[in-house]
Amino acid sequence: MDIKKFCFGSVMNTEAVVLDIKESNKNDMPYLKIGFQNELTYELKKKDIIYGLGENVRGINKKGWIYESFCSDEFEHTEDRKSIYAAHNFLILQGSEIFGVFIDCPGKVIFDLGYTKGDLMCIKVPENNFDLYIIQGNSLKEIAKNFRELVGKSYIAPKWAFGYQQSRWGYKNKEDILNVVEGFKKNDIPIDGVCLDIDYMERFKDFTIDKEKFGDFENFVKNLKSQGIRLIPIIDAGVKIEKGYDVYDEGVENGYFCVDKNNKPFVAAVWPGKVHFPDFLNEDVRAWFGEKYKYLIDKGIEGFWNDMNEPAIFYTEKSLKQVVDKAYESKDKNLDVHSFFELNDSFLSISNRMEDYKSFYHRVHGKIIRHDKVHNLYGYNMTRAAAEAFEKIAPNKRFLIFSRSSAIGMHRYGGIWTGDNKAWWSSLELNIKMMPNLNICGFIYSGADTGGFACDCTEDLLIRWNEFSMFTPLYRNHSANDTRNQEPYSFSPSTTSALRTIIENRYAYIPYIYSEYMKACMENECYFKPMTFEYEDDNLIEDQLLVGDSLMIAPVYKQNAFGRYVYLPEEMVFWNMVSYQNRSFQVLPKGHHYIEVELEATPIFIRKDKILVLGKHSSCVDYLDNKELDLIAFVDERACYNYYDDDGITKEYNNQDFQFKISIEKKDNDYEIDLYAIENCIVKKLNLTIIDTQGKEFKKELFI
Ligand code: GLC
């Protein structure tokens, strides 16, 4: 493996990297030039592609814009933004040469990728303290894999977390949750989890339960679990200032909160009003805060989502005073255009101000560090606190945890969702383009708010979005409290029926999705890949993705589209799937095609000499019965598949533990099939459909 490390200044150990790489001499640095103030530059050619930077706006190819890694509570994910919630400082350049660059830095990093000058990539680290890793390899896939070796294995979610999750800010009490569950049951729609948003807490205090609205919580959790449904509560970063509240009292007593310049706990305001921020960079604080999850775990909870952990700041006493004073000053005045906009802007920029991030401090290993310099490690370490606690509480159990803010390193501890998108077609498009870049950066268990968080969703958008989300490891429909309801049964009967079928499709695909996900995590591969990762000589197609090793998808993400163009880099089997039970396959030649895709259809493409594995749906993951699987193989010469499965609950996973390995080889007018299965294989029967390049189907049953 070829990784080179170069050190600039002295940087705090972010613990993003798990390999011990010796520092190289900067004079031997390949590809990049070191300029004024350690700016790193590279001359871009017209056709260069830049992959990576994980959670960000714009396309798979990041070239042509300027990105800033500074985790931001940014709910506008429009093209003009430079950062959203995460700091994923890894990119791969593909041009006349290919290489990867990882900037290991806890503070702001600017990636000017041909924005200031069209032919120049320029990476700047304002603090000037960082480690740079150059990652080499023979292919894009190999570079991505080498990078993942450097930063360690990705978090593995429990299998139930591959089921559908329903969420909404505004499920106010038990009754609301029961109504949701009833809605799913009545309409026969599979479901595995319901997320609890801040409404379940007492006055928005972490690790509390509103006893009036969510009384007898333990039995509530138990009862739902007996129906195969898990509740997934939210935890926020800010701890409410309230005497008598144990988390607040203990935090103050032990000095566990970040402090201001007078060494007093720093005060900011979020959902509960004024809060303190736990100093997650400090390991004692992590151990203390992590332990708190036990309160909910003891009540039967097995999954969480960590939010507002950039950390988001609505206002501070100072920023509030500034705007209020300004408003008073303006009272009764005849404001001219400049003073009006100044006043207006002061309100609009009251939240998440750099000035506030510069006014509090962490205490790490006896050192005092100003927050802005280590800002990107905050959400990472909040989620690490939870994961480290889970490890102590139940060492062999997998918990579900996904975070809003993240940085590379956190990928070992949890998954992410991509924050407050909108019920816009452009948010769906962004979701599609973001997934491969998240995977490249190690965030495999990830997904977006399906249907959109803010704004009102339409039936067609929800259907199209589900057709994409049925492939994302985290498959969650989430929306904000003031929007139109978007549960799958909230629209017309025909929409309910279409969504039921798509969600059933997801469950039938779980054998493939889970097998491919687990292999990606264990072998440091990507689950979602850009097309060029397999077809390196082709142009990058931004709106088609590879899912696992066997599939290509081409989602429809435009309103009122009855179809779309696709490019096939090689011959593939096309399945215009409405329901997974109804199968009709067509071999399409390499090249450009226009395919008709009715609203209810999900276009699936099986790659040449690859195999798709399908099961049957059930009402939840716990009830899936995958003793009998269907294999759909597109065979020109020889197709192989290694099927991975396990209990989905414990950490006893092993990348050699394939349930079965199958190889199907074309021999004149016949096929030679080799099947190897482990003793006690979960699968007992395989129904094979083999499709040849003429589109001829051959069926066979195999018993294990
Ligand atoms: C944040 C989260 C969102 C959540 C809301 C209320 O905006 O990103 O998912 O619903 O807070 O907790």
Side-chain angles (χ1 to χ4, degrees):
M1 195 197 323
D2 198 355
I3 301 180
K4 289 197 163 64
K5 176 182 181 181
F6 304 92
C7 303
F8 295 82
S10 98
V11 69
M12 174 192 162
N13 184 0
T14 64
E15 292 175 66
V17 162
V18 297
L19 293 185
D20 195 11
I21 309 273
K22 230 178 63 234
E23 184 182 349
S24 294
N25 188 323
K26 293 194 192 75
N27 296 329
D28 301 333
M29 186 185 296
Y31 313 113
L32 303 177
K33 284 205 188 88
I34 309 174
F36 178 61
Q37 290 185 335
N38 293 330
E39 280 181 16
L40 304 164
T41 56
Y42 180 80
E43 229 174 86
L44 293 170
K45 321 282 172 314
K46 275 215 175 83
K47 286 202 142 182
D48 285 357
I49 300 175
I50 303 172
Y51 306 89
L53 299 189
E55 188 180 278
N56 252 309
V57 297
R58 299 195 171 222
I60 298 179
N61 185 354
K62 306 311 272 189
K63 187 167 161 255
W65 185 241
I66 181 165
Y67 301 87
E68 287 182 7
S69 273
F70 196 78
C71 300
S72 309
D73 170 21
E74 176 58 78
F75 53 86
E76 297 293 350
H77 304 173
T78 40
E79 282 179 37
D80 56 340
R81 302 296 126 152
K82 295 184 183 140
S83 26
I84 47 177
Y85 312 91
H88 299 159
N89 299 341
F90 174 59
L91 58 81
I92 304 180
L93 189 129
Q94 181 194 22
S96 50
E97 42 197 8
I98 56 169
F99 60 93
V101 177
F102 174 48
I103 307 289
D104 188 8
C105 171
K108 187 188 264 192
V109 182
I110 299 165
F111 294 90
D112 184 339
L113 309 180
Y115 166 77
T116 305
K117 286 190 192 151
D119 59 356
L120 196 73
M121 166 166 98
C122 178
I123 303 172
K124 298 181 217 174
V125 182
E127 284 293 330
N128 234 324
N129 296 317
F130 62 101
D131 289 344
L132 158 72
Y133 293 86
I134 306 247
I135 296 109
Q136 289 171 299
N138 292 322
S139 62
L140 293 166
K141 264 204 311 195
E142 198 179 300
I143 292 173
K145 195 177 167 100
N146 288 347
F147 169 66
R148 300 266 298 289
E149 303 258 321
L150 176 70
V151 295
K153 295 259 157 77
S154 296
Y155 156 80
I156 290 183
K159 200 197 273 181
W160 64 264
F162 287 78
Y164 177 93
Q165 295 170 36
Q166 183 59 49
S167 181
R168 182 171 169 86
W169 173 16
Y171 294 152
K172 303 180 295 303
N173 48 36
K174 285 204 299 198
E175 209 189 337
D176 282 357
I177 304 283
L178 289 173
N179 283 338
V180 170
V181 171
E182 175 64 20
F184 277 82
K185 299 280 164 207
K186 218 172 65 201
N187 289 290
D188 219 0
I189 304 173
I191 180 167
D192 264 82
V194 180
C195 291
L196 298 179
D197 207 315
I198 47 174
D199 320 83
Y200 82 92
M201 298 178 191
E202 191 187 276
R203 295 191 292 287
F204 306 130
K205 292 184 295 184
D206 282 338
F207 313 112
T208 66
I209 293 157
D210 188 315
K211 295 204 177 48
E212 264 165 42
K213 299 181 196 142
F214 284 87
D216 198 12
F217 191 69
E218 211 164 321
N219 275 321
F220 185 53
V221 175
K222 208 158 146 200
N223 192 343
L224 288 175
K225 175 118 185 264
S226 71
Q227 301 171 51
I229 297 172
R230 267 111 168 155
L231 290 177
I232 305 154
I234 194 170
I235 304 292
D236 283 338
V239 170
K240 183 173 172 63
I241 299 178
E242 185 182 285
K243 284 223 166 74
Y245 163 41
D246 58 342
V247 186
Y248 166 77
D249 288 341
E250 289 169 27
V252 170
E253 210 174 288
N254 296 300
Y256 285 158
F257 295 125
C258 294
V259 291
D260 62 18
K261 64 176 189 310
N262 301 317
N263 210 20
K264 295 258 163 24
F266 176 73
V267 181
V270 204
W271 303 119
K274 291 187 185 168
V275 300
H276 293 322
F277 292 131
D279 189 352
F280 293 120
L281 272 58
N282 179 306
E283 61 191 303
D284 295 338
V285 178
R286 281 205 299 278
W288 162 72
F289 194 85
E291 253 273 317
K292 299 287 168 202
Y293 286 78
K294 192 162 182 298
Y295 169 72
L296 291 158
I297 292 172
D298 286 345
K299 297 192 178 333
I301 295 297
E302 297 172 67
F304 298 89
W305 46 313
N306 279 349
D307 192 21
M308 308 303 276
N309 49 1
E310 294 70 31
I313 297 178
F314 289 170
Y315 65 88
T316 57
E317 285 160 347
K318 196 169 161 195
S319 69
L320 185 64
K321 184 171 181 322
Q322 280 169 359
V323 295
V324 170
D325 286 353
K326 206 168 191 59
Y328 271 117
E329 274 165 35
S330 320
K331 194 167 176 264
D332 301 328
K333 286 216 173 115
N334 178 358
L335 298 180
D336 66 14
V337 57
H338 303 295
S339 25
F340 166 71
F341 280 112
E342 213 182 293
L343 175 67
N344 196 38
D345 286 349
S346 66
F347 278 94
L348 293 179
S349 55
I350 189 172
S351 303
N352 310 315
R353 300 186 319 169
M354 189 52 113
E355 195 184 325
D356 293 325
Y357 290 128
K358 283 186 174 170
S359 58
F360 65 97
Y361 300 82
H362 298 268
R363 287 169 290 199
V364 190
H365 304 306
K367 262 199 179 155
I368 308 241
I369 307 178
R370 204 173 72 194
H371 174 77
D372 60 302
K373 296 175 192 285
V374 289
H375 176 77
N376 291 338
L377 300 183
Y378 195 77
Y380 162 3
N381 279 285
M382 177 187 181
T383 299
R384 179 176 173 188
E388 285 171 343
F390 301 158
E391 188 76 36
K392 280 193 216 141
I393 296 166
N396 196 25
K397 184 183 163 100
R398 292 187 226 173
F399 285 88
L400 170 62
I401 177 92
F402 54 98
S403 173
R404 191 171 75 174
S405 185
S406 63
I408 287 168
M410 200 207 87
H411 71 288
R412 300 195 301 272
Y413 299 103
I416 56 169
W417 92 99
T418 58
D420 300 348
N421 57 8
K422 294 201 164 60
W424 290 352
W425 292 87
S426 56
S427 290
L428 166 57
E429 180 177 349
L430 180 62
N431 182 195
I432 296 165
K433 294 177 177 176
M434 206 190 281
M435 292 315 292
N437 282 332
L438 288 175
N439 275 247
I440 290 169
C441 292
F443 291 89
I444 315 293
Y445 189 82
S446 49
D449 287 351
T450 300
F453 173 72
C455 306
D456 293 329
C457 190
T458 59
E459 313 187 36
D460 53 351
L461 176 59
L462 192 60
I463 292 173
R464 289 298 194 201
W465 208 319
N466 275 269
E467 287 165 6
F468 175 64
S469 294
M470 69 156 279
F471 295 102
T472 61
L474 168 63
Y475 180 10
R476 183 179 79 140
N477 173 326
H478 178 53
S479 55
N481 54 359
D482 53 356
T483 61
R484 186 181 192 189
N485 271 73
Q486 64 187 40
E487 294 80 12
Y489 49 78
S490 304
F491 299 89
S492 62
S494 65
T495 297
T496 305
S497 157
L499 290 167
R500 177 194 306 112
T501 307
I502 298 164
I503 298 170
E504 284 175 358
N505 290 345
R506 158 62 167 234
Y507 281 76
Y509 269 71
I510 284 181
Y512 176 74
I513 291 174
Y514 186 72
S515 172
E516 293 301 304
Y517 165 84
M518 289 299 289
K519 287 189 284 186
C521 289
M522 293 184 294
E523 293 163 20
N524 289 327
E525 307 269 358
C526 293
Y527 166 85
F528 276 113
K529 275 174 291 190
M531 297 288 289
T532 38
F533 270 46
E534 294 295 343
Y535 308 98
E536 227 168 89
D537 297 332
D538 271 312
N539 287 331
L540 174 67
I541 310 282
E542 289 259 354
D543 60 357
Q544 296 174 205
L545 301 179
L546 298 168
V547 181
D549 191 45
S550 307
L551 294 185
M552 179 186 89
I553 56 167
V556 176
Y557 55 92
K558 298 269 184 222
Q559 188 158 32
N560 302 320
F562 298 110
R564 56 161 290 169
Y565 286 94
V566 283
Y567 170 70
L568 269 53
E570 62 177 341
E571 211 172 15
M572 288 186 188
V573 163
F574 171 46
W575 176 13
N576 212 355
M577 178 180 72
V578 176
S579 140
Y580 76 93
Q581 286 116 329
N582 298 327
R583 298 171 194 175
S584 126
F585 307 114
Q586 187 189 353
V587 176
L588 291 184
K590 173 184 160 102
H592 296 274
H593 301 268
Y594 181 82
I595 53 167
E596 310 248 335
V597 189
E598 54 188 288
L599 184 59
E600 295 77 14
T602 306
I604 309 277
F605 299 84
I606 304 171
R607 296 174 59 205
K608 186 146 69 181
D609 286 330
K610 302 287 177 189
I611 301 174
L612 170 64
V613 183
L614 289 182
K616 287 182 190 60
H617 77 274
S618 65
S619 61
C620 65
V621 169
D622 285 351
Y623 301 158
L624 283 175
D625 175 3
N626 288 324
K627 287 202 250 337
E628 188 174 332
L629 294 176
D630 295 350
L631 264 47
I632 304 162
F634 178 32
V635 183
D636 178 20
E637 289 170 10
R638 179 164 175 254
C640 301
Y641 194 83
N642 291 346
Y643 178 68
Y644 181 88
D645 197 11
D646 58 20
D647 65 14
I649 304 166
T650 67
K651 292 181 180 164
E652 278 146 34
Y653 31 75
N654 175 344
N655 50 356
Q656 300 310 318
D657 264 359
F658 297 117
Q659 293 289 316
F660 64 80
K661 293 179 182 185
I662 190 164
S663 137
I664 307 171
E665 193 169 353
K666 187 150 175 77
K667 288 267 151 99
D668 302 323
N669 288 327
D670 204 1
Y671 295 95
E672 193 177 288
I673 300 169
D674 263 339
L675 177 67
Y676 161 82
I678 54 163
E679 239 184 81
N680 309 323
C681 179
I682 306 170
V683 187
K684 302 292 173 217
K685 189 180 169 212
L686 298 175
N687 304 312
L688 254 59
T689 303
I690 305 173
I691 305 156
D692 72 9
T693 50
Q694 307 303 311
K696 252 206 333 254
E697 289 181 29
F698 171 87
K699 299 215 188 246
K700 193 175 169 77
E701 292 180 347
L702 297 176
F703 293 87
I704 298 182

